[in-house]
Amino acid sequence: QSGLTQPPSASGSPGQSVTISCTGTSSDVGGYNYVSWYQQHPGKAPKLMIYEVTKRPSGVPDRFSGSKSGNTASLTVSGLQAEDEADYYCSSRGVSDNVMFGGGTKLTVL
Amino acid sequence: EVQLVESGGGLVQPGGSLRLSCAASGFDFNIHYMTWVRQAPGKGLESVAKITPDGSAQFYVDSVRGRFTVSRDNAKKSLYLQMNNLRAEDTAVYYCAQEHWFRTAYWGQGTLVTVSS
């Protein structure tokens, strides 16, 4: 039950775009369209930002978008704002219907 | 409004036991998968255990299988996690969450479990 691979950090200046990757295998990310992305501010519970690769829950700004190619999913944050600074986690359906998470990416707004 | 409120965390010695509870409200509890996700201090998220809507099947991460038991009481709209033979590496904030098609849109505030002598 290995986790998904994310870069430990990412950064961008206000107004810029940043993309965070999430790499798995054909048994998880590549095999299903059940990739989600979560935002977590310090001391808070995670918040769902993207589900089923590209869908945004109600209330999530359209500055957040998701995509997938092969075994790698990506989260793009456009028009970076100070409040976007947080930890971001990807997750995917895996074998045996489990859910696996990535190690997380700390996004810094410069 | 969906609410998930965990309780039962605390300090326990290695080898000890603890039972976490999660009280749910604001949604049809008995038709949703429920899951426990934990986060060790300064670390990432880990899905620990999941249970089907009727409680007939449970799923566990390898590191807790045989030590943790997830259960639910749909009449009380409650989710539980019985944790036995606790280890230092089980120290984490434990979140109760509603899982719907492999995503978790609703999370509790978390309860801290500390395993230490």
Side-chain angles (χ1 to χ4, degrees), chain A residues 1 34 36 38 40 43-48 51-52 89 91-93 96-99 101-103, chain B residues 33 37 39 43-47 50 59-63 65 95 99 101-105 107-109:
Chain A
Q1 295 176 338
Y34 288 117
S36 300
Y38 300 87
Q40 187 180 35
K44 300 294 187 182
K47 175 186 177 183
L48 180 66
Y51 66 99
E52 293 177 8
Y89 295 91
S91 75
S92 173
R93 176 183 182 180
S96 302
D97 286 348
N98 68 321
V99 171
F101 287 93
Chain B
Y33 282 75
V37 177
Q39 186 170 35
K43 301 297 183 181
L45 302 170
E46 180 181 43
S47 181
K50 180 165 71 174
F59 307 86
Y60 300 96
V61 70
D62 286 347
S63 59
R65 188 174 293 113
Y95 293 101
E99 185 178 302
W101 287 108
F102 308 99
R103 67 182 183 266
T104 47
W107 301 69
Q109 83 288 351

mmCIF file of all heavy atoms in Angstrom, chain A residues 1 34 36 38 40 43-48 51-52 89 91-93 96-99 101-103, chain B residues 33 37 39 43-47 50 59-63 65 95 99 101-105 107-109:
data_model
loop_
_atom_site.group_PDB
_atom_site.id
_atom_site.type_symbol
_atom_site.label_atom_id
_atom_site.label_comp_id
_atom_site.label_asym_id
_atom_site.label_seq_id
_atom_site.Cartn_x
_atom_site.Cartn_y
_atom_site.Cartn_z
ATOM 1 N N GLN A 1 0.832 -1.206 0.000
ATOM 2 C CA GLN A 1 0.000 0.000 0.000
ATOM 3 C C GLN A 1 0.867 1.255 0.000
ATOM 4 O O GLN A 1 0.797 2.096 0.891
ATOM 5 C CB GLN A 1 -0.926 -0.015 1.210
ATOM 6 C CG GLN A 1 -1.940 -1.135 1.169
ATOM 7 C CD GLN A 1 -2.796 -1.200 2.430
ATOM 8 O OE1 GLN A 1 -2.391 -0.695 3.467
ATOM 9 N NE2 GLN A 1 -3.928 -1.835 2.358
ATOM 10 N N TYR A 34 -10.706 8.521 -10.143
ATOM 11 C CA TYR A 34 -11.094 8.875 -8.783
ATOM 12 C C TYR A 34 -9.919 9.549 -8.066
ATOM 13 O O TYR A 34 -9.514 9.135 -6.985
ATOM 14 C CB TYR A 34 -11.560 7.642 -8.017
ATOM 15 C CG TYR A 34 -12.907 7.125 -8.452
ATOM 16 C CD1 TYR A 34 -13.036 5.854 -9.017
ATOM 17 C CD2 TYR A 34 -14.050 7.912 -8.312
ATOM 18 C CE1 TYR A 34 -14.270 5.383 -9.417
ATOM 19 C CE2 TYR A 34 -15.289 7.446 -8.719
ATOM 20 C CZ TYR A 34 -15.389 6.181 -9.268
ATOM 21 O OH TYR A 34 -16.618 5.720 -9.669
ATOM 22 N N SER A 36 -8.601 12.875 -6.219
ATOM 23 C CA SER A 36 -9.076 14.055 -5.494
ATOM 24 C C SER A 36 -7.883 14.871 -5.014
ATOM 25 O O SER A 36 -6.768 14.353 -4.879
ATOM 26 C CB SER A 36 -9.911 13.648 -4.286
ATOM 27 O OG SER A 36 -11.038 12.893 -4.655
ATOM 28 N N TYR A 38 -6.898 17.882 -1.934
ATOM 29 C CA TYR A 38 -7.317 18.510 -0.686
ATOM 30 C C TYR A 38 -6.355 19.634 -0.328
ATOM 31 O O TYR A 38 -5.146 19.527 -0.537
ATOM 32 C CB TYR A 38 -7.340 17.491 0.457
ATOM 33 C CG TYR A 38 -8.286 16.340 0.200
ATOM 34 C CD1 TYR A 38 -7.863 15.214 -0.500
ATOM 35 C CD2 TYR A 38 -9.607 16.389 0.626
ATOM 36 C CE1 TYR A 38 -8.730 14.168 -0.765
ATOM 37 C CE2 TYR A 38 -10.480 15.354 0.371
ATOM 38 C CZ TYR A 38 -10.035 14.235 -0.329
ATOM 39 O OH TYR A 38 -10.899 13.207 -0.594
ATOM 40 N N GLN A 40 -5.101 21.937 2.947
ATOM 41 C CA GLN A 40 -5.098 21.924 4.408
ATOM 42 C C GLN A 40 -4.272 23.088 4.946
ATOM 43 O O GLN A 40 -3.074 23.177 4.695
ATOM 44 C CB GLN A 40 -4.550 20.605 4.951
ATOM 45 C CG GLN A 40 -4.684 20.495 6.467
ATOM 46 C CD GLN A 40 -4.146 19.185 7.019
ATOM 47 O OE1 GLN A 40 -3.167 18.649 6.521
ATOM 48 N NE2 GLN A 40 -4.802 18.668 8.047
ATOM 49 N N GLY A 43 -3.373 23.379 11.354
ATOM 50 C CA GLY A 43 -4.315 23.173 12.440
ATOM 51 C C GLY A 43 -5.752 22.946 12.026
ATOM 52 O O GLY A 43 -6.634 22.856 12.887
ATOM 53 N N LYS A 44 -5.991 22.848 10.725
ATOM 54 C CA LYS A 44 -7.358 22.682 10.220
ATOM 55 C C LYS A 44 -7.525 21.322 9.559
ATOM 56 O O LYS A 44 -6.547 20.670 9.178
ATOM 57 C CB LYS A 44 -7.696 23.773 9.208
ATOM 58 C CG LYS A 44 -7.600 25.181 9.770
ATOM 59 C CD LYS A 44 -8.647 25.431 10.824
ATOM 60 C CE LYS A 44 -8.656 26.888 11.252
ATOM 61 N NZ LYS A 44 -9.658 27.138 12.334
ATOM 62 N N ALA A 45 -8.777 20.898 9.403
ATOM 63 C CA ALA A 45 -9.065 19.678 8.673
ATOM 64 C C ALA A 45 -8.886 19.937 7.181
ATOM 65 O O ALA A 45 -9.024 21.067 6.715
ATOM 66 C CB ALA A 45 -10.493 19.220 8.957
ATOM 67 N N PRO A 46 -8.567 18.902 6.422
ATOM 68 C CA PRO A 46 -8.454 19.063 4.967
ATOM 69 C C PRO A 46 -9.780 19.507 4.356
ATOM 70 O O PRO A 46 -10.852 19.221 4.892
ATOM 71 C CB PRO A 46 -8.076 17.659 4.493
ATOM 72 C CG PRO A 46 -7.456 17.000 5.686
ATOM 73 C CD PRO A 46 -8.217 17.546 6.853
ATOM 74 N N LYS A 47 -9.670 20.184 3.216
ATOM 75 C CA LYS A 47 -10.834 20.641 2.474
ATOM 76 C C LYS A 47 -10.754 20.099 1.058
ATOM 77 O O LYS A 47 -9.717 20.228 0.392
ATOM 78 C CB LYS A 47 -10.886 22.167 2.435
ATOM 79 C CG LYS A 47 -12.008 22.738 1.577
ATOM 80 C CD LYS A 47 -11.911 24.256 1.468
ATOM 81 C CE LYS A 47 -12.986 24.816 0.538
ATOM 82 N NZ LYS A 47 -12.867 26.285 0.367
ATOM 83 N N LEU A 48 -11.828 19.489 0.595
ATOM 84 C CA LEU A 48 -11.870 18.939 -0.749
ATOM 85 C C LEU A 48 -11.892 20.058 -1.776
ATOM 86 O O LEU A 48 -12.772 20.916 -1.733
ATOM 87 C CB LEU A 48 -13.106 18.045 -0.919
ATOM 88 C CG LEU A 48 -13.304 17.391 -2.281
ATOM 89 C CD1 LEU A 48 -12.202 16.370 -2.560
ATOM 90 C CD2 LEU A 48 -14.678 16.723 -2.358
ATOM 91 N N TYR A 51 -12.416 16.710 -7.226
ATOM 92 C CA TYR A 51 -12.712 15.287 -7.153
ATOM 93 C C TYR A 51 -12.937 14.739 -8.565
ATOM 94 O O TYR A 51 -13.189 15.493 -9.498
ATOM 95 C CB TYR A 51 -13.912 15.009 -6.250
ATOM 96 C CG TYR A 51 -15.240 15.542 -6.760
ATOM 97 C CD1 TYR A 51 -16.135 14.709 -7.416
ATOM 98 C CD2 TYR A 51 -15.608 16.873 -6.565
ATOM 99 C CE1 TYR A 51 -17.347 15.177 -7.871
ATOM 100 C CE2 TYR A 51 -16.807 17.357 -7.019
ATOM 101 C CZ TYR A 51 -17.679 16.507 -7.667
ATOM 102 O OH TYR A 51 -18.890 16.981 -8.121
ATOM 103 N N GLU A 52 -12.815 13.437 -8.683
ATOM 104 C CA GLU A 52 -12.939 12.763 -9.987
ATOM 105 C C GLU A 52 -12.111 13.497 -11.045
ATOM 106 O O GLU A 52 -12.593 13.792 -12.138
ATOM 107 C CB GLU A 52 -14.411 12.629 -10.370
ATOM 108 C CG GLU A 52 -15.132 11.673 -9.430
ATOM 109 C CD GLU A 52 -16.629 11.555 -9.714
ATOM 110 O OE1 GLU A 52 -17.103 12.089 -10.722
ATOM 111 O OE2 GLU A 52 -17.312 10.909 -8.883
ATOM 112 N N TYR A 89 -2.835 17.848 -0.767
ATOM 113 C CA TYR A 89 -2.697 16.399 -0.844
ATOM 114 C C TYR A 89 -3.550 15.869 -1.986
ATOM 115 O O TYR A 89 -4.698 16.268 -2.154
ATOM 116 C CB TYR A 89 -3.168 15.747 0.455
ATOM 117 C CG TYR A 89 -2.324 16.082 1.659
ATOM 118 C CD1 TYR A 89 -2.623 17.179 2.467
ATOM 119 C CD2 TYR A 89 -1.224 15.295 2.000
ATOM 120 C CE1 TYR A 89 -1.844 17.494 3.565
ATOM 121 C CE2 TYR A 89 -0.442 15.598 3.109
ATOM 122 C CZ TYR A 89 -0.758 16.698 3.880
ATOM 123 O OH TYR A 89 0.011 17.002 4.976
ATOM 124 N N SER A 91 -5.247 12.300 -3.639
ATOM 125 C CA SER A 91 -5.632 10.951 -3.235
ATOM 126 C C SER A 91 -6.204 10.235 -4.449
ATOM 127 O O SER A 91 -6.627 10.872 -5.421
ATOM 128 C CB SER A 91 -6.662 10.966 -2.101
ATOM 129 O OG SER A 91 -7.941 11.322 -2.586
ATOM 130 N N SER A 92 -6.197 8.916 -4.376
ATOM 131 C CA SER A 92 -6.734 8.128 -5.479
ATOM 132 C C SER A 92 -7.327 6.836 -4.963
ATOM 133 O O SER A 92 -6.872 6.295 -3.943
ATOM 134 C CB SER A 92 -5.634 7.807 -6.494
ATOM 135 O OG SER A 92 -6.098 6.906 -7.499
ATOM 136 N N ARG A 93 -8.328 6.348 -5.677
ATOM 137 C CA ARG A 93 -8.786 4.988 -5.440
ATOM 138 C C ARG A 93 -7.636 4.060 -5.784
ATOM 139 O O ARG A 93 -6.930 4.259 -6.773
ATOM 140 C CB ARG A 93 -9.985 4.671 -6.319
ATOM 141 C CG ARG A 93 -10.468 3.229 -6.206
ATOM 142 C CD ARG A 93 -11.613 2.963 -7.165
ATOM 143 N NE ARG A 93 -12.113 1.595 -7.038
ATOM 144 C CZ ARG A 93 -13.110 1.087 -7.740
ATOM 145 N NH1 ARG A 93 -13.756 1.853 -8.613
ATOM 146 N NH2 ARG A 93 -13.491 -0.158 -7.572
ATOM 147 N N SER A 96 -8.390 -2.958 -4.222
ATOM 148 C CA SER A 96 -9.206 -3.355 -3.074
ATOM 149 C C SER A 96 -10.047 -2.203 -2.536
ATOM 150 O O SER A 96 -10.386 -2.178 -1.338
ATOM 151 C CB SER A 96 -8.339 -3.919 -1.948
ATOM 152 O OG SER A 96 -7.587 -5.027 -2.387
ATOM 153 N N ASP A 97 -10.343 -1.235 -3.396
ATOM 154 C CA ASP A 97 -11.218 -0.119 -3.027
ATOM 155 C C ASP A 97 -10.686 0.741 -1.881
ATOM 156 O O ASP A 97 -11.466 1.421 -1.201
ATOM 157 C CB ASP A 97 -12.620 -0.615 -2.689
ATOM 158 C CG ASP A 97 -13.384 -1.022 -3.931
ATOM 159 O OD1 ASP A 97 -12.902 -0.709 -5.040
ATOM 160 O OD2 ASP A 97 -14.448 -1.648 -3.809
ATOM 161 N N ASN A 98 -9.373 0.687 -1.645
ATOM 162 C CA ASN A 98 -8.832 1.577 -0.622
ATOM 163 C C ASN A 98 -8.595 2.954 -1.225
ATOM 164 O O ASN A 98 -8.671 3.155 -2.435
ATOM 165 C CB ASN A 98 -7.537 1.011 -0.035
ATOM 166 C CG ASN A 98 -6.400 1.023 -1.048
ATOM 167 O OD1 ASN A 98 -6.604 0.754 -2.214
ATOM 168 N ND2 ASN A 98 -5.205 1.341 -0.590
ATOM 169 N N VAL A 99 -8.345 3.920 -0.358
ATOM 170 C CA VAL A 99 -7.982 5.271 -0.784
ATOM 171 C C VAL A 99 -6.566 5.533 -0.319
ATOM 172 O O VAL A 99 -6.239 5.318 0.851
ATOM 173 C CB VAL A 99 -8.940 6.318 -0.186
ATOM 174 C CG1 VAL A 99 -8.426 7.734 -0.439
ATOM 175 C CG2 VAL A 99 -10.335 6.168 -0.777
ATOM 176 N N PHE A 101 -3.239 8.304 -0.244
ATOM 177 C CA PHE A 101 -2.900 9.705 -0.303
ATOM 178 C C PHE A 101 -1.453 9.908 -0.753
ATOM 179 O O PHE A 101 -0.595 9.038 -0.568
ATOM 180 C CB PHE A 101 -3.060 10.362 1.081
ATOM 181 C CG PHE A 101 -4.484 10.553 1.500
ATOM 182 C CD1 PHE A 101 -5.135 9.596 2.256
ATOM 183 C CD2 PHE A 101 -5.174 11.709 1.152
ATOM 184 C CE1 PHE A 101 -6.451 9.769 2.655
ATOM 185 C CE2 PHE A 101 -6.493 11.901 1.552
ATOM 186 C CZ PHE A 101 -7.131 10.929 2.296
ATOM 187 N N GLY A 102 -1.217 11.081 -1.306
ATOM 188 C CA GLY A 102 0.147 11.497 -1.566
ATOM 189 C C GLY A 102 0.770 12.042 -0.294
ATOM 190 O O GLY A 102 0.082 12.253 0.704
ATOM 191 N N GLY A 103 2.075 12.276 -0.345
ATOM 192 C CA GLY A 103 2.785 12.743 0.830
ATOM 193 C C GLY A 103 2.565 14.204 1.157
ATOM 194 O O GLY A 103 2.948 14.683 2.228
ATOM 195 N N TYR B 33 -20.509 5.384 3.112
ATOM 196 C CA TYR B 33 -19.273 4.850 3.639
ATOM 197 C C TYR B 33 -18.708 5.875 4.629
ATOM 198 O O TYR B 33 -18.823 7.088 4.415
ATOM 199 C CB TYR B 33 -18.244 4.639 2.529
ATOM 200 C CG TYR B 33 -18.444 3.404 1.682
ATOM 201 C CD1 TYR B 33 -19.446 3.332 0.721
ATOM 202 C CD2 TYR B 33 -17.599 2.302 1.820
ATOM 203 C CE1 TYR B 33 -19.624 2.207 -0.058
ATOM 204 C CE2 TYR B 33 -17.755 1.162 1.037
ATOM 205 C CZ TYR B 33 -18.771 1.123 0.100
ATOM 206 O OH TYR B 33 -18.936 0.004 -0.663
ATOM 207 N N VAL B 37 -9.275 8.763 8.954
ATOM 208 C CA VAL B 37 -8.022 9.191 8.342
ATOM 209 C C VAL B 37 -7.160 9.792 9.447
ATOM 210 O O VAL B 37 -7.648 10.573 10.259
ATOM 211 C CB VAL B 37 -8.265 10.239 7.236
ATOM 212 C CG1 VAL B 37 -6.943 10.727 6.649
ATOM 213 C CG2 VAL B 37 -9.157 9.661 6.136
ATOM 214 N N GLN B 39 -3.335 11.651 10.784
ATOM 215 C CA GLN B 39 -2.218 12.498 10.371
ATOM 216 C C GLN B 39 -1.246 12.608 11.529
ATOM 217 O O GLN B 39 -1.542 13.255 12.541
ATOM 218 C CB GLN B 39 -2.725 13.880 9.949
ATOM 219 C CG GLN B 39 -1.655 14.783 9.369
ATOM 220 C CD GLN B 39 -2.251 16.031 8.745
ATOM 221 O OE1 GLN B 39 -3.243 16.577 9.208
ATOM 222 N NE2 GLN B 39 -1.630 16.491 7.667
ATOM 223 N N LYS B 43 3.233 15.257 9.486
ATOM 224 C CA LYS B 43 3.244 14.290 8.383
ATOM 225 C C LYS B 43 1.982 14.412 7.536
ATOM 226 O O LYS B 43 1.139 15.265 7.760
ATOM 227 C CB LYS B 43 3.370 12.873 8.943
ATOM 228 C CG LYS B 43 4.615 12.646 9.782
ATOM 229 C CD LYS B 43 5.890 12.813 8.980
ATOM 230 C CE LYS B 43 7.125 12.500 9.812
ATOM 231 N NZ LYS B 43 8.390 12.681 9.048
ATOM 232 N N GLY B 44 1.860 13.508 6.550
ATOM 233 C CA GLY B 44 0.737 13.535 5.635
ATOM 234 C C GLY B 44 -0.459 12.743 6.128
ATOM 235 O O GLY B 44 -0.499 12.237 7.251
ATOM 236 N N LEU B 45 -1.445 12.637 5.233
ATOM 237 C CA LEU B 45 -2.687 11.953 5.553
ATOM 238 C C LEU B 45 -2.576 10.461 5.249
ATOM 239 O O LEU B 45 -1.919 10.070 4.284
ATOM 240 C CB LEU B 45 -3.832 12.550 4.733
ATOM 241 C CG LEU B 45 -4.079 14.049 4.914
ATOM 242 C CD1 LEU B 45 -5.077 14.550 3.861
ATOM 243 C CD2 LEU B 45 -4.589 14.351 6.311
ATOM 244 N N GLU B 46 -3.245 9.662 6.074
ATOM 245 C CA GLU B 46 -3.258 8.218 5.861
ATOM 246 C C GLU B 46 -4.647 7.681 6.164
ATOM 247 O O GLU B 46 -5.167 7.855 7.263
ATOM 248 C CB GLU B 46 -2.228 7.522 6.744
ATOM 249 C CG GLU B 46 -2.192 6.005 6.556
ATOM 250 C CD GLU B 46 -1.182 5.315 7.453
ATOM 251 O OE1 GLU B 46 -1.086 5.678 8.654
ATOM 252 O OE2 GLU B 46 -0.491 4.402 6.958
ATOM 253 N N SER B 47 -5.241 7.027 5.180
ATOM 254 C CA SER B 47 -6.535 6.388 5.389
ATOM 255 C C SER B 47 -6.319 5.115 6.192
ATOM 256 O O SER B 47 -5.603 4.225 5.759
ATOM 257 C CB SER B 47 -7.181 6.081 4.040
ATOM 258 O OG SER B 47 -8.444 5.491 4.215
ATOM 259 N N LYS B 50 -12.067 1.914 6.901
ATOM 260 C CA LYS B 50 -13.288 2.332 6.207
ATOM 261 C C LYS B 50 -14.348 1.272 6.440
ATOM 262 O O LYS B 50 -14.030 0.080 6.570
ATOM 263 C CB LYS B 50 -12.993 2.499 4.714
ATOM 264 C CG LYS B 50 -14.183 2.936 3.874
ATOM 265 C CD LYS B 50 -13.730 3.434 2.503
ATOM 266 C CE LYS B 50 -13.236 2.339 1.606
ATOM 267 N NZ LYS B 50 -12.936 2.842 0.245
ATOM 268 N N PHE B 59 -12.456 -2.155 5.789
ATOM 269 C CA PHE B 59 -11.182 -2.142 5.088
ATOM 270 C C PHE B 59 -10.159 -1.478 6.006
ATOM 271 O O PHE B 59 -10.477 -0.495 6.683
ATOM 272 C CB PHE B 59 -11.288 -1.349 3.778
ATOM 273 C CG PHE B 59 -12.412 -1.803 2.874
ATOM 274 C CD1 PHE B 59 -13.699 -1.303 3.030
ATOM 275 C CD2 PHE B 59 -12.191 -2.727 1.878
ATOM 276 C CE1 PHE B 59 -14.739 -1.721 2.214
ATOM 277 C CE2 PHE B 59 -13.218 -3.152 1.049
ATOM 278 C CZ PHE B 59 -14.491 -2.647 1.212
ATOM 279 N N TYR B 60 -8.942 -2.002 6.013
ATOM 280 C CA TYR B 60 -7.905 -1.469 6.888
ATOM 281 C C TYR B 60 -6.582 -1.323 6.143
ATOM 282 O O TYR B 60 -6.260 -2.120 5.253
ATOM 283 C CB TYR B 60 -7.675 -2.399 8.086
ATOM 284 C CG TYR B 60 -8.887 -2.615 8.957
ATOM 285 C CD1 TYR B 60 -9.707 -3.720 8.774
ATOM 286 C CD2 TYR B 60 -9.206 -1.714 9.970
ATOM 287 C CE1 TYR B 60 -10.825 -3.921 9.570
ATOM 288 C CE2 TYR B 60 -10.320 -1.899 10.775
ATOM 289 C CZ TYR B 60 -11.123 -3.015 10.562
ATOM 290 O OH TYR B 60 -12.229 -3.204 11.356
ATOM 291 N N VAL B 61 -5.811 -0.323 6.531
ATOM 292 C CA VAL B 61 -4.434 -0.228 6.050
ATOM 293 C C VAL B 61 -3.629 -1.332 6.737
ATOM 294 O O VAL B 61 -3.956 -1.740 7.870
ATOM 295 C CB VAL B 61 -3.857 1.172 6.332
ATOM 296 C CG1 VAL B 61 -3.634 1.388 7.823
ATOM 297 C CG2 VAL B 61 -2.583 1.399 5.541
ATOM 298 N N ASP B 62 -2.609 -1.819 6.072
ATOM 299 C CA ASP B 62 -1.863 -2.973 6.589
ATOM 300 C C ASP B 62 -1.315 -2.736 8.004
ATOM 301 O O ASP B 62 -1.303 -3.657 8.834
ATOM 302 C CB ASP B 62 -0.686 -3.293 5.656
ATOM 303 C CG ASP B 62 -1.136 -3.955 4.361
ATOM 304 O OD1 ASP B 62 -2.303 -4.397 4.285
ATOM 305 O OD2 ASP B 62 -0.316 -4.015 3.420
ATOM 306 N N SER B 63 -0.888 -1.520 8.288
ATOM 307 C CA SER B 63 -0.213 -1.243 9.554
ATOM 308 C C SER B 63 -1.130 -1.335 10.775
ATOM 309 O O SER B 63 -0.637 -1.402 11.904
ATOM 310 C CB SER B 63 0.444 0.142 9.508
ATOM 311 O OG SER B 63 -0.525 1.139 9.267
ATOM 312 N N ARG B 65 -4.180 -3.416 10.599
ATOM 313 C CA ARG B 65 -5.038 -4.602 10.502
ATOM 314 C C ARG B 65 -4.703 -5.574 11.630
ATOM 315 O O ARG B 65 -3.544 -5.868 11.900
ATOM 316 C CB ARG B 65 -4.856 -5.271 9.139
ATOM 317 C CG ARG B 65 -5.859 -6.397 8.883
ATOM 318 C CD ARG B 65 -5.752 -6.944 7.461
ATOM 319 N NE ARG B 65 -6.172 -5.954 6.469
ATOM 320 C CZ ARG B 65 -5.350 -5.390 5.583
ATOM 321 N NH1 ARG B 65 -4.078 -5.724 5.564
ATOM 322 N NH2 ARG B 65 -5.811 -4.506 4.715
ATOM 323 N N TYR B 95 -9.069 11.786 12.128
ATOM 324 C CA TYR B 95 -10.236 12.441 11.574
ATOM 325 C C TYR B 95 -11.290 11.410 11.192
ATOM 326 O O TYR B 95 -10.979 10.380 10.565
ATOM 327 C CB TYR B 95 -9.879 13.217 10.307
ATOM 328 C CG TYR B 95 -8.971 14.409 10.498
ATOM 329 C CD1 TYR B 95 -7.608 14.323 10.204
ATOM 330 C CD2 TYR B 95 -9.475 15.637 10.927
ATOM 331 C CE1 TYR B 95 -6.771 15.415 10.346
ATOM 332 C CE2 TYR B 95 -8.650 16.739 11.079
ATOM 333 C CZ TYR B 95 -7.304 16.621 10.793
ATOM 334 O OH TYR B 95 -6.481 17.710 10.927
ATOM 335 N N GLU B 99 -17.054 9.268 3.326
ATOM 336 C CA GLU B 99 -16.472 8.977 2.028
ATOM 337 C C GLU B 99 -17.577 8.699 1.017
ATOM 338 O O GLU B 99 -18.487 7.920 1.276
ATOM 339 C CB GLU B 99 -15.519 7.776 2.106
ATOM 340 C CG GLU B 99 -14.788 7.517 0.788
ATOM 341 C CD GLU B 99 -13.817 6.370 0.876
ATOM 342 O OE1 GLU B 99 -12.903 6.407 1.706
ATOM 343 O OE2 GLU B 99 -13.986 5.404 0.087
ATOM 344 N N TRP B 101 -17.773 7.841 -3.058
ATOM 345 C CA TRP B 101 -17.053 7.546 -4.307
ATOM 346 C C TRP B 101 -15.581 7.981 -4.204
ATOM 347 O O TRP B 101 -15.068 8.739 -5.029
ATOM 348 C CB TRP B 101 -17.732 8.172 -5.507
ATOM 349 C CG TRP B 101 -18.989 7.470 -5.876
ATOM 350 C CD1 TRP B 101 -20.260 7.917 -5.715
ATOM 351 C CD2 TRP B 101 -19.113 6.150 -6.428
ATOM 352 N NE1 TRP B 101 -21.159 6.976 -6.141
ATOM 353 C CE2 TRP B 101 -20.495 5.879 -6.581
ATOM 354 C CE3 TRP B 101 -18.178 5.159 -6.793
ATOM 355 C CZ2 TRP B 101 -20.977 4.661 -7.083
ATOM 356 C CZ3 TRP B 101 -18.664 3.958 -7.303
ATOM 357 C CH2 TRP B 101 -20.044 3.723 -7.442
ATOM 358 N N PHE B 102 -14.935 7.490 -3.131
ATOM 359 C CA PHE B 102 -13.488 7.625 -2.943
ATOM 360 C C PHE B 102 -13.024 9.064 -2.733
ATOM 361 O O PHE B 102 -11.849 9.372 -2.914
ATOM 362 C CB PHE B 102 -12.727 6.971 -4.109
ATOM 363 C CG PHE B 102 -13.172 5.561 -4.359
ATOM 364 C CD1 PHE B 102 -14.067 5.274 -5.372
ATOM 365 C CD2 PHE B 102 -12.732 4.534 -3.541
ATOM 366 C CE1 PHE B 102 -14.518 3.971 -5.572
ATOM 367 C CE2 PHE B 102 -13.166 3.232 -3.733
ATOM 368 C CZ PHE B 102 -14.061 2.944 -4.752
ATOM 369 N N ARG B 103 -13.928 9.938 -2.363
ATOM 370 C CA ARG B 103 -13.558 11.293 -1.961
ATOM 371 C C ARG B 103 -14.197 11.580 -0.617
ATOM 372 O O ARG B 103 -15.209 10.990 -0.259
ATOM 373 C CB ARG B 103 -14.016 12.334 -2.995
ATOM 374 C CG ARG B 103 -15.529 12.470 -3.107
ATOM 375 C CD ARG B 103 -15.885 13.467 -4.183
ATOM 376 N NE ARG B 103 -17.305 13.718 -4.311
ATOM 377 C CZ ARG B 103 -18.100 13.086 -5.165
ATOM 378 N NH1 ARG B 103 -17.627 12.118 -5.939
ATOM 379 N NH2 ARG B 103 -19.379 13.410 -5.245
ATOM 380 N N THR B 104 -13.560 12.492 0.129
ATOM 381 C CA THR B 104 -14.086 12.855 1.445
ATOM 382 C C THR B 104 -14.369 14.341 1.465
ATOM 383 O O THR B 104 -13.448 15.155 1.557
ATOM 384 C CB THR B 104 -13.112 12.485 2.563
ATOM 385 O OG1 THR B 104 -11.804 12.927 2.220
ATOM 386 C CG2 THR B 104 -13.078 10.983 2.772
ATOM 387 N N ALA B 105 -15.640 14.686 1.338
ATOM 388 C CA ALA B 105 -16.044 16.093 1.318
ATOM 389 C C ALA B 105 -16.276 16.634 2.722
ATOM 390 O O ALA B 105 -16.209 17.840 2.933
ATOM 391 C CB ALA B 105 -17.308 16.273 0.487
ATOM 392 N N TRP B 107 -15.318 16.346 6.856
ATOM 393 C CA TRP B 107 -14.349 15.904 7.849
ATOM 394 C C TRP B 107 -14.738 16.449 9.218
ATOM 395 O O TRP B 107 -15.302 17.534 9.324
ATOM 396 C CB TRP B 107 -12.954 16.441 7.522
ATOM 397 C CG TRP B 107 -12.389 16.054 6.196
ATOM 398 C CD1 TRP B 107 -12.823 16.461 4.956
ATOM 399 C CD2 TRP B 107 -11.265 15.210 5.963
ATOM 400 N NE1 TRP B 107 -12.032 15.904 3.979
ATOM 401 C CE2 TRP B 107 -11.073 15.134 4.568
ATOM 402 C CE3 TRP B 107 -10.398 14.502 6.804
ATOM 403 C CZ2 TRP B 107 -10.042 14.384 3.993
ATOM 404 C CZ3 TRP B 107 -9.375 13.762 6.235
ATOM 405 C CH2 TRP B 107 -9.206 13.695 4.842
ATOM 406 N N GLY B 108 -14.389 15.698 10.258
ATOM 407 C CA GLY B 108 -14.505 16.238 11.600
ATOM 408 C C GLY B 108 -13.320 17.147 11.892
ATOM 409 O O GLY B 108 -12.469 17.384 11.033
ATOM 410 N N GLN B 109 -13.277 17.630 13.128
ATOM 411 C CA GLN B 109 -12.191 18.539 13.517
ATOM 412 C C GLN B 109 -10.944 17.773 13.962
ATOM 413 O O GLN B 109 -9.874 18.349 14.098
ATOM 414 C CB GLN B 109 -12.657 19.482 14.630
ATOM 415 C CG GLN B 109 -12.586 18.918 16.047
ATOM 416 C CD GLN B 109 -13.649 17.858 16.333
ATOM 417 O OE1 GLN B 109 -14.571 17.630 15.535
ATOM 418 N NE2 GLN B 109 -13.544 17.219 17.501
#
